[in-house]
Amino acid sequence: MNRWILAYGGYDPASEGLREALCTLGNGYFAVRGAAAESSADEVHYPGTYVAGCYDRSSIEVTGYRADNVDLVNAPNWLPLTFRAAEGEWFDVDQAFAEGRLLSYEQQLDLRRGVLTRLLRFRDTAGRTCRVAQRRIVSMEDPHLAAMETTIVPEDWSGTIEVRSALDGRVANMGVARYRNLPGEHLTHDKPTEPGDPESSWVKTTTISSGIGIAVAARTRSSDPAERSRYSEPGWTAQDLRIEVEEGRTVTVEKVAAMYTSRDRAIEEYGEAALAAVRRADGFDALLERHELAWAHLWRRAQLSVDHPDVQRVLNLHIFHLLQTVSPHTVELDVGVPARGLHGEAYRGHVFWDELFILPFLTTRFPEIARALLMYRCRRLPEARRAAAAAGRRGAMYPWQSAADGREETQLVHLNPRSGRWLPDHSHLQRHVGLTIAHNVWRFHEATGDTEFLAEYGGEIILEIARYFADLADYDRSIDRYRIRGVMGPDEYHDAYPGREEPGLDDNAYTNVLTAWVLRRALEALALLPEDRRAELRERLALTCEEITRFEDVSRRMHVPFHDGVISQFEGYDELEELDWAGYRERYGDIRRLDRILEAEGDSPNRYKASKQADVLMLFYVLSPQELDDVLQHLGHEHGPELFARTIAYYLPRTCHGSTLSSLVHAWILASTDGDEAWDVFLEALGCDMEDAQHGTTAEGVHLGAMAGTVDLVQRCYAGLSTRGGTLHLDPRLPSAIGELRLGLRYRGHWGIDLSCHQDRLRVSLRPGVALPIRIAFGAEDVLIQPGASWETPLQRGRAAPDAG
């Protein structure tokens, strides 16, 4: 494999689910798992297709709870295509493999070009041998189109080949084993109608509760004359092509598909739009050429390279899947970022807080995509306000899990596969998702200087989130501090105090510290707004002087618990028991899902100082050391520089990395204290999906936040890149395993900023343009770089001088 190829040699049914997820093709509008074209959903294959933002709701009774689940819908499958020698058996890769008739098999995903290729040879039961090459794309140039080219060579026979090309709308959401006892049917099917031309087929469906129409049309052509016949039933249609072939002579079948929904713009009727799109579409080669050009433009803007081929390949894979989930086509859609991408059905396609890990990379390369993702949150601000009001609070309370309309979609119960028990789920108490949204809005403003967005949308979001948390904080006279009670932090292993029936924890440090930070940013945002807009916003929000004073008061007197010279994860954390880590590792080996292990034993992680991902350490990821120090000092906590080192050393050994994000955060933190260990943890984070580190979860959808986070780590941690106060701050910390790091950035109107970092020097170049000069802060230096100019400075061996900011 090279830096741009993900290659698999041989066929392995046991790893097919993982391959399907990692070989998913998409364009930000829809995505298709990398399943074999002839396969259907079974214990080996799952050919899922997902349209961004297309959700449907269903309900069921589970252990006395009314489960109201909304799913990212598995849309009609355009892939089905198989073939046979006349009167023989239809090709099936699993059957051929099981019977020893699969003579060779290779699969390659070309990341640079966005092309999935399958090369195979097989022999049918009559002894006839075929060589097959199949190429597939989901067009990055036209968001509605996909195409597949299948080339067949009969090696030792002549006669008739039959090719069956179908569209299958009889699909359901069945891609996650633990969900299969819950309703998965989401589509009703229109009565089949003839498309009016011999090459085309179409299927129209409608989601059951949300009423979204989904149509897929396909055009199937052969390089040789073909006799056609058609078969249709509700939700399914197929064409059979009979083609005369000669030994050793190639025959090619081309299938072009179009996906449209009733939510699309600039169409009259979604079924006719799909049919018209495939009729006017060019052939495979022309579609491929424009698709490759679109990907070339994306890679040019997404430039990030290291001189470590194995690491570069995985980084390319991660960027590839990020841009397949959210692309320039996303800008015109009203969608968030599903935590598992458009690659599978885990987490039901819900939107969590993963923008925290995804937006930094997008903002400095594709700010229009980042802005669109923030607009998804902005449009759901009214629902967040209603949620806060229903809870008796002011402001906006965003949900932990979001989907179509912004209501809380977190499940009430979840299944522990280890014990087989359904358990109450309290993760909706992760109120910090609102703080993340405010944080993301502010970081976007810092990086882009987009004051129009801040004035029109962002400022209002920050203020309403700040209002909610200022109202959520209760004053405790006994300590003269504000406290936030009854929440959960990012560490989902603790959701209640031992022996207490009521869920929730008090004074979660992550939540409280970020509340203090966001309240100050809200006041800063208000001051930055043009005077007229500031007056309008204060009038519309009825934001009084008393409320602004409360923002200031809470930001200065928020309670942050401490114990043993470190920041406590929450109030009372120091009273929990220590876990027998060695004993559990000896008994179970992999203890990343410690919560499931303990529950199956009749125990609970609530009793122990054991974290899925340590809340407190997340603070060191979200805030710079200077920002965190500033918050604590503003709160009146005088501390020495040893506090952070003690806190990190305390929590690292008490974390079991039950989240894919945990290794990422730990690699980030260790980069400033232990470069060798940080590099090892970074490699673990890189391998999370490639190696399916969580044993089967990647097959249900990639971990998009962790993927994007590894890329962000290279950019913001290794290159030391941050944007504050209209200045580009640089503090490189290259690991010894990397000799050179190169980045291409967009920043403050500059479409071309090239940054190259070596172990001994740093160089920044601006391509010519009309944007204003940019200011660079590096150590004690403050440099203004003009368009078309460059700046270079030596580095200390292995790292730069400390950031003066």
Side-chain angles (χ1 to χ4, degrees):
M1 293 190 292
N2 63 33
R3 296 175 178 222
W4 295 102
I5 300 294
L6 177 65
Y8 297 101
Y11 180 67
D12 179 15
S15 66
E16 186 66 8
L18 173 64
R19 294 186 186 185
E20 288 179 354
L22 292 179
C23 291
T24 294
L25 297 178
N27 58 20
Y29 175 81
F30 78 109
V32 182
R33 285 168 60 87
E38 70 277 2
S39 69
S40 56
D42 55 27
E43 293 305 313
V44 175
H45 304 280
Y46 195 74
T49 301
Y50 308 99
V51 180
C54 184
Y55 292 97
D56 192 61
R57 189 177 301 277
S58 60
S59 298
I60 191 175
E61 198 79 20
V62 178
T63 66
Y65 290 88
R66 187 67 179 174
D68 188 24
N69 295 316
V70 63
D71 290 318
L72 184 68
V73 174
N74 185 14
N77 180 16
W78 70 273
L79 287 176
L81 188 141
T82 187
F83 47 87
R84 64 179 179 181
E87 311 307 324
E89 71 280 357
W90 293 107
F91 173 69
D92 179 277
V93 66
D94 295 291
Q95 184 178 357
F97 176 77
E99 296 175 0
R101 296 183 289 100
L102 189 64
L103 307 179
S104 66
Y105 192 91
E106 297 176 41
Q107 184 169 311
Q108 290 189 356
L109 175 63
D110 187 325
L111 304 172
R112 187 193 294 271
R113 300 163 59 234
V115 179
L116 180 63
T117 301
R118 215 169 42 137
L119 304 172
L120 62 93
R121 291 179 68 242
F122 82 102
R123 184 171 293 125
D124 70 7
T125 54
R128 292 167 290 198
T129 307
C130 285
R131 185 170 72 251
V132 180
Q134 196 168 65
R135 296 188 294 171
R136 182 190 307 175
I137 64 171
V138 173
S139 175
M140 190 57 82
E141 191 267 339
D142 186 321
H144 298 281
L145 292 182
M148 182 166 60
E149 178 195 73
T150 304
T151 299
I152 306 169
V153 181
E155 292 189 351
D156 52 14
W157 61 280
S158 300
T160 302
I161 278 184
E162 294 181 65
V163 177
R164 173 164 290 176
S165 173
L167 299 173
D168 189 3
R170 304 171 304 180
V171 296
N173 280 61
M174 302 296 288
V176 179
R178 60 189 176 277
Y179 301 164
R180 287 177 189 161
N181 291 329
L182 304 175
E185 301 284 342
H186 289 293
L187 298 176
T188 61
H189 310 114
D190 290 11
K191 183 178 179 181
T193 58
E194 291 294 324
D197 70 89
E199 294 182 334
S200 302
S201 304
W202 64 341
V203 165
K204 290 180 64 179
T205 63
T206 305
T207 57
I208 292 172
S209 68
S210 57
I212 300 172
I214 307 174
V216 59
R219 185 193 72 205
T220 306
R221 286 178 178 170
S222 168
S223 60
D224 291 42
E227 178 185 332
R228 296 174 183 262
S229 53
R230 190 185 298 274
Y231 310 90
S232 293
E233 57 185 72
W236 180 86
T237 185
Q239 285 191 49
D240 282 1
L241 283 67
R242 294 175 59 88
I243 307 166
E244 296 301 317
V245 297
E246 297 177 7
E247 178 180 337
R249 193 167 71 83
T250 296
V251 62
T252 299
V253 176
E254 200 178 80
K255 185 175 185 179
V256 177
M259 183 80 66
Y260 276 82
T261 80
S262 57
R263 302 170 72 224
D264 288 323
R265 299 177 179 180
I267 62 170
E268 182 173 293
E269 197 277 330
Y270 59 98
E272 293 293 341
L275 201 55
V278 296
R279 285 171 174 164
R280 65 173 174 259
D282 289 328
F284 184 87
D285 287 340
L287 292 175
L288 175 61
E289 183 179 359
R290 291 198 295 273
H291 167 74
E292 289 177 338
L293 180 61
W295 266 112
H297 292 164
L298 292 182
W299 283 117
R300 191 180 302 161
R301 291 169 61 181
Q303 179 193 348
L304 182 148
S305 64
V306 297
D307 59 346
H308 192 301
D310 292 336
V311 168
Q312 185 67 54
R313 182 188 312 113
V314 183
L315 291 174
N316 287 343
L317 179 72
H318 290 181
I319 296 170
F320 178 75
H321 284 303
L322 174 60
L323 293 178
Q324 292 196 122
T325 306
V326 286
S327 78
H329 300 304
T330 305
V331 175
E332 296 300 316
L333 305 177
D334 176 33
V335 297
V337 187
R340 304 298 281 273
L342 297 174
H343 298 64
E345 295 164 14
Y347 301 157
R348 303 186 179 280
H350 292 176
V351 177
F352 292 71
W353 68 328
D354 296 76
E355 303 107 302
L356 179 67
F357 307 93
I358 289 168
L359 286 178
F361 177 78
L362 293 176
T363 299
T364 53
R365 286 168 173 79
F366 304 93
E368 66 282 357
I369 302 177
R371 194 179 198 269
L373 297 177
L374 293 175
M375 287 302 300
Y376 168 85
R377 296 298 192 178
C378 181
R379 295 185 189 100
R380 284 145 189 83
L381 181 59
E383 182 62 34
R385 286 185 175 120
R386 287 189 286 269
R393 300 292 182 183
R394 306 189 71 190
M397 184 178 77
Y398 277 90
W400 175 236
Q401 296 186 30
S402 178
D405 61 7
R407 76 182 83 172
E408 179 63 80
E409 303 293 0
T410 304
Q411 63 274 16
L412 297 176
V413 292
H414 67 268
L415 176 67
N416 180 358
R418 186 177 284 270
S419 69
R421 288 189 286 265
W422 287 90
L423 308 166
D425 193 312
H426 302 130
S427 55
H428 67 279
L429 295 175
Q430 294 188 71
R431 305 298 183 211
H432 60 84
V433 64
L435 299 168
T436 295
I437 293 166
H439 170 273
N440 292 341
V441 170
W442 183 255
R443 294 297 195 215
F444 177 80
H445 167 70
E446 283 185 317
T448 64
D450 190 344
T451 54
E452 180 182 354
F453 176 79
L454 188 69
E456 290 293 331
Y457 308 106
E460 185 171 359
I461 294 174
I462 295 176
L463 286 168
E464 285 291 70
I465 291 171
R467 169 180 268 174
Y468 169 75
F469 280 93
D471 194 36
L472 188 64
D474 294 325
Y475 178 66
D476 185 338
R477 291 182 180 278
S478 66
I479 60 173
D480 190 30
R481 292 278 181 178
Y482 288 91
R483 310 183 65 181
I484 294 178
R485 306 176 191 270
V487 301
M488 282 176 62
D491 172 28
E492 297 171 318
Y493 281 3
H494 295 92
D495 65 353
Y497 287 101
R500 185 190 292 183
E501 291 187 8
E502 183 180 356
L505 304 164
D506 299 336
D507 298 314
N508 171 257
Y510 180 84
T511 303
N512 287 16
V513 169
L514 275 190
T515 293
W517 184 86
V518 165
L519 287 169
R520 294 176 69 190
R521 300 294 79 76
L523 295 172
E524 192 172 346
L526 192 62
L528 285 172
L529 297 181
E531 184 176 349
D532 289 348
R533 177 55 178 160
R534 182 166 60 247
E536 288 178 355
L537 204 53
R538 290 189 61 170
E539 290 171 356
R540 193 157 69 81
L541 299 181
L543 187 64
T544 64
C545 292
E546 290 77 12
E547 197 166 10
I548 291 174
T549 299
R550 183 175 175 87
F551 285 10
E552 295 172 340
D553 195 37
V554 175
S555 74
R556 286 187 294 104
R557 292 198 286 171
M558 177 63 70
H559 177 50
V560 178
F562 290 79
H563 77 275
D564 299 335
V566 303
I567 302 171
S568 294
Q569 186 161 301
F570 50 82
E571 189 67 50
Y573 180 86
D574 58 314
E575 299 174 10
L576 301 182
E577 300 177 33
E578 293 284 3
L579 183 78
D580 179 9
W581 291 94
Y584 271 91
R585 288 193 173 99
E586 183 178 352
R587 288 159 59 190
Y588 292 98
D590 186 348
I591 61 169
R592 275 175 286 202
R593 289 315 305 261
L594 182 64
D595 57 333
R596 292 176 175 175
I597 292 171
L598 290 171
E599 192 280 327
E601 292 183 345
D603 205 344
S604 168
N606 283 327
R607 296 180 54 221
Y608 302 100
K609 295 172 181 172
S611 296
K612 177 182 181 182
Q613 50 189 8
D615 286 357
V616 177
L617 299 188
M618 276 297 305
L619 287 171
F620 296 90
Y621 178 84
V622 174
L623 302 177
S624 71
Q626 295 80 13
E627 287 176 314
L628 181 54
D629 185 70
D630 179 60
V631 172
L632 293 177
Q633 288 195 28
H634 192 70
L635 290 171
H637 294 292
E638 295 299 329
H639 57 83
E642 301 82 11
L643 171 67
F644 295 162
R646 287 196 307 267
T647 301
I648 291 169
Y650 182 88
Y651 286 101
L652 283 177
R654 292 174 171 84
T655 304
C656 66
H657 303 300
S659 165
T660 55
L661 297 170
S662 186
S663 295
L664 167 70
V665 171
H666 285 206
W668 184 289
I669 293 166
L670 287 168
S672 61
T673 59
D674 188 334
D676 291 338
E677 185 179 357
W679 179 252
D680 291 340
V681 178
F682 172 65
L683 293 180
E684 288 179 20
L686 275 181
C688 172
D689 280 314
M690 281 282 288
E691 300 167 10
D692 196 16
Q694 294 200 329
H695 309 297
T697 62
T698 301
E700 302 168 349
V702 300
H703 301 82
L704 198 65
M707 282 187 164
T710 59
V711 180
D712 180 40
L713 186 148
V714 172
Q715 174 175 293
R716 289 199 297 134
C717 189
Y718 292 164
L721 178 71
S722 63
T723 53
R724 303 191 303 275
T727 300
L728 201 62
H729 293 257
L730 296 171
D731 181 17
R733 295 177 182 273
L734 280 189
S736 58
I738 295 179
E740 181 183 26
L741 165 62
R742 291 182 176 273
L743 303 176
L745 305 172
R746 278 178 64 189
Y747 175 71
R748 302 262 171 154
H750 288 273
W751 278 69
I753 302 177
D754 297 311
L755 184 150
S756 63
C757 182
H758 299 255
Q759 291 288 347
D760 59 355
R761 70 184 186 278
L762 171 68
R763 180 182 175 86
V764 180
S765 300
L766 267 64
R767 297 170 204 167
V770 297
L772 295 174
I774 66 168
R775 188 168 296 281
I776 298 286
F778 169 75
E781 295 187 62
D782 193 314
V783 182
L784 195 68
I785 307 180
Q786 301 288 338
S790 62
W791 167 80
E792 187 170 343
T793 187
L795 297 178
Q796 297 177 19
R797 183 67 179 170
R799 59 157 294 166
D803 186 345

